[in-house]
Amino acid sequence: MTSLTHRLAEEIGATFDQVAAAVRLLDEGSTIPFIARYRKEATGGLDDQKLRTLADRLTALRALEERRGQIRASIEQQGKLTPELAAALDAADTRTRLEDLYLPYRPKRRTKAQIAREAGLAPLAEQLLADPTRVPTEAAAAFVNPDAGVADPKAALAGARQILVEQAAEDAELVGRLRELVATEGRLVTAVVAGKETEGANFADYFDMAEPFARVPSHRALAMFRGRAAGVLPLEIKPPEDDTD
């Protein structure tokens, strides 16, 4: 609670004692107008706006701490909580970051990647990832096993691909970097579905458009979403046009 109070104080520009008093009053059931008007001496004169901001952030941060505890307990029960992971969970300051860290440990249905691992294809995935110069079909030939459902090199490569895709999707650092890259540098690209030009005439402005994702105004985004819902505009988020990675 002390660290939470310190964080709230920093966020709203108040002292620790002011925030602690306001939190106590809120927890006792006092309303924001009541605190702002009749408990100024306790909160050091926090106004209505700061109290509302404090109350909203208090709710959000407590929910974050509750989720952090749930995730930590789940990973502990699996026997997979390492000191490094515990430190990363403690440092996570958003729900998104917490969920990214939890993704590899979240209970899930049997996936295609899991089936591929059970078929003995994890080493193939590791080999291909470690050495991009290897000829995939040649490497996969050693993993053909009809008894395990791997009929040929093509099937082996398909399974290895599922494993690598799942690994990438569950890498919290990679997912975080990609999310930031998309938000700051990605392009929102639209093109009309073939044969829908007349039906989708209302969306003609978006039949062939590419715009930096971060700069798309809300009214244009809503129009494009309507076009997608109408089956006229497929939407894609792509890397920067001059991206060479």
Side-chain angles (χ1 to χ4, degrees), residues 3 9 11 142 155 189 239:
S3 61
E11 288 187 5
V189 179

Side-chain angles (χ1 to χ4, degrees), residues 221-243:
L222 288 171
M224 285 185 276
F225 289 146
R226 286 196 296 272
R228 182 179 65 177
V232 174
L233 300 176
L235 302 184
E236 293 184 90
I237 295 178
K238 294 187 176 182
E241 201 162 15
D242 61 348
D243 184 78

Side-chain angles (χ1 to χ4, degrees), residues 78-158:
Q78 298 173 45
K80 297 178 180 178
L81 185 66
T82 64
E84 295 76 16
L85 180 55
L89 290 172
D90 289 341
D93 58 358
T94 66
R95 176 70 175 262
T96 298
R97 173 63 175 166
L98 273 178
E99 298 298 343
D100 284 349
L101 290 167
Y102 185 42
L103 195 56
Y105 309 96
R106 184 193 300 277
K108 52 182 175 283
R109 297 176 182 173
R110 192 162 173 258
T111 65
K112 291 181 179 179
Q114 184 178 346
I115 294 170
R117 291 188 185 95
E118 293 168 358
L121 296 175
L124 174 59
E126 293 168 4
Q127 290 174 19
L128 294 174
L129 184 63
D131 184 4
T133 65
R134 297 195 66 163
V135 178
T137 52
E138 292 180 2
F143 292 87
V144 173
N145 182 356
D147 292 339
V150 185
D152 51 35
K154 183 178 179 180
L157 289 174

